[in-house]
Amino acid sequence: MCGIVAYIGGKDAAPILLEGLARLEYRGYDSAGVAVTGKTGGLKLVKKKGRVADLAAAVPARFKGTAGIGHTRWATHGEPSDANSHPHLDTAQRFAVVHNGIIENAEELRAKLESEGVVFVSETDTEVLAHLIAAHAKDAAELEDAVRAALARVVGTYGIAVLDAERPDRIVVARNGSPIVLGIGEKEMFAASDVSALVRYTRQVVHLDDGELATVRADGFSTFTQDARVTAKQPSTVDWEEASYDTAGHAHFLIKEISEQPAAVERTLSGRVDERFATAHLGGLNLDAREARAFRRVKILGCGSAYYSGELGAQLIEELARIPAHAEPASEFRYRNPVIEADTLYIAVSQSGETYDTLAAVQEIKRKGGRVLGVVNTVGSAIARECDGGVYLHAGPEISVASTKAFTSTAVAFALIALHFGRVHDLSPADGRRICAGLKALPGQIREILAQEGSIAKLAAEYAQNAGMMFVGRVRGWPVAREGAQKLKEVSYVHAEAYPASELKHGPLALIGPELPTVAVVPDDELVEKNLTTLGEIRARHGRVLMVGHTAPDPKYAEDCILVPKNEPELDPILLGIPLQLLAYHAAVALERDVDKPRNLAKSVTVE
Ligand code: G6P
């Protein structure tokens, strides 16, 4: 989605802004722009449809200014074009504005401004903001007052940064539903929509809350609310390494992140497996044993891969803790006026911690008095702050749009939660110890699976030649099959459909034939015979089958197979998902897709 970066200090702003925008490229965008100002006055602006590299090439040598704002745009209002790119200016070219989010009453405001004689040069909702700020600046003592007055007229979501040619000593930023993070440097300050744009320059950051604004100057910052009340903010330290934002010799971020999973899982587990009491230590849940026992149900909410990892989590919680658990897409949840129960524990899942639909679901639950925990990767993100407690994944930054290591670390975090809840309920110490040992074995077993990359790549290149693929699994294998299908369609654009293997005969078996191969997730559990029978039915209709499981099947069930090491049955789904990530990645490579930035998708969807 759109990205924002801002700089103010003693240095030339443009190279810093362009570097920051390059770091935000992974979020997905179609155009980019920068504006700078300095002591000599006036705004300088370059913006273009296309990549950040095209923008950098178009920035002239004399593009000097020590304060500036930059933006990568993902078109919402109006097509991708130079004119619709951000920053947007007012008519007098005094103010420059960059904006993430959607102004819902933009049409109405535009009509009003036009009736007052304002001439618009773009189709965007953001341009409205630039003209509104200019209109209010006439009676405002300070830039901050003009921005507040303009925002008071706006309905919608925004993260914005505003540059004023007459006030080159400051940049004003504001957040409402779309993230803004301040970065504190040495006699310089930064702001961005995502910490990845800042880590090269500083680790000290301040996350704005919804409804909060900030003035950033070279020597510091101040924060305040929409009604001008000053707020107090404590900086936090980002512990992600700058190197995490490079492909580090890999062809793509996606394969780098797949390969990082042993270390990511080790970090998710670190300090949390308590072998002595055969349980998990999760201090961040903020639940004592009595409270943990009191919940009768668990409801898990997330979008995309986060939702599928929630399905895996629900399965784990039901199996280990025997608490009824269910996952639901966060994007649907709040629209059905959900019943919020006092004895249900709600868990929101999000890699970015900024997905708007998930955040809105959390807010709806809280508004109705429910208790929500977060399973989140990004420390300090909006969802993490909104929740009553939770578990951080510590998977490290995930840059590729398709989620892999965050998915796996989320599943591991759910195994820890399930173990913890299990042990305050009826899970025996012996079973607890079994799960502890299983968890500790995961990183090494993931390494074993990754070592099969070469043979999986060969299979992927063959299977990618089909127009579509069916993914099947049952019970423990079902969320794995769903995520496998999701991964394949996201990155390779091969149509993929997931069905419970048991449902095949109730409809989709009609599709099966030589042209539609099936990927079957078949763990060695009590359903293995039933799964093999289904595979036999597929083979009888000349459907090609690739089985992912623990024991090589008779060729009458599957032509191809990928074997993974066996863990405990409850934890096996975590491992069974890894080959499907490699399959999707290599299918995308074979088809020469834009692996890390699939068409039409964005890494974090901060609008509805
Ligand atoms: C977007 C991405 C998906 C991701 C989903 C949830 O749709 O394209 O890959 O799974 O958002 O993201 P989150 O950051 O909340 O986990």
Side-chain angles (χ1 to χ4, degrees), residues 360-418:
V362 172
Q363 288 165 342
E364 174 75 2
I365 297 163
K366 294 205 72 185
R367 199 180 58 70
K368 292 181 168 177
R371 180 121 180 198
V372 200
L373 300 180
V375 175
V376 173
N377 195 30
T378 309
V379 175
S381 55
I383 293 169
R385 282 177 297 135
E386 194 77 36
C387 288
D388 300 304
V391 180
Y392 279 123
L393 302 179
H394 303 301
E398 195 178 67
I399 305 296
S400 192
V401 165
S403 183
T404 51
K405 64 176 179 173
F407 178 90
T408 303
S409 281
T410 303
V412 171
F414 272 118
L416 290 166
I417 292 171

Side-chain angles (χ1 to χ4, degrees), residues 343-463:
D343 57 1
T344 296
L345 177 65
Y346 296 86
I347 304 182
V349 183
S350 179
Q351 187 287 125
S352 62
E354 303 289 351
T355 298
Y356 182 78
D357 283 321
T358 311
L359 180 61
V362 172
Q363 288 165 342
E364 174 75 2
I365 297 163
K366 294 205 72 185
R367 199 180 58 70
K368 292 181 168 177
R371 180 121 180 198
V372 200
L373 300 180
V375 175
V376 173
N377 195 30
T378 309
V379 175
S381 55
I383 293 169
R385 282 177 297 135
E386 194 77 36
C387 288
D388 300 304
V391 180
Y392 279 123
L393 302 179
H394 303 301
E398 195 178 67
I399 305 296
S400 192
V401 165
S403 183
T404 51
K405 64 176 179 173
F407 178 90
T408 303
S409 281
T410 303
V412 171
F414 272 118
L416 290 166
I417 292 171
L419 172 62
H420 176 79
F421 286 166
R423 292 287 293 123
V424 298
H425 282 88
D426 299 325
L427 190 74
S428 70
D431 275 333
R433 274 193 294 277
R434 187 171 63 75
I435 298 300
C436 286
L439 286 168
K440 293 186 84 169
L442 286 173
Q445 292 180 313
I446 296 174
R447 280 189 197 98
E448 286 177 45
I449 300 169
L450 296 176
Q452 300 180 50
E453 186 183 344
S455 55
I456 297 174
K458 275 202 202 100
L459 285 169
E462 282 175 39
Y463 276 80

Side-chain angles (χ1 to χ4, degrees), residues 2 14 164 189 296-297 319 327 429 443 458 561:
C2 304
D164 178 354
M189 283 286 299
R296 307 289 301 266
R297 262 177 295 281
E319 277 203 78
K458 275 202 202 100
C561 87

Side-chain angles (χ1 to χ4, degrees), residues 28 51 63 104 150 249 261 272 307 319 351 353 387 390 410 420 428 436 466 513 535 538 583 607:
R51 317 302 291 177
F63 195 79
E104 287 163 19
Q261 289 180 111
R272 289 167 166 169
Y307 161 51
E319 277 203 78
Q351 187 287 125
C387 288
T410 303
H420 176 79
S428 70
C436 286
N466 295 287
L535 301 193
I538 296 169
L583 191 74
V607 295

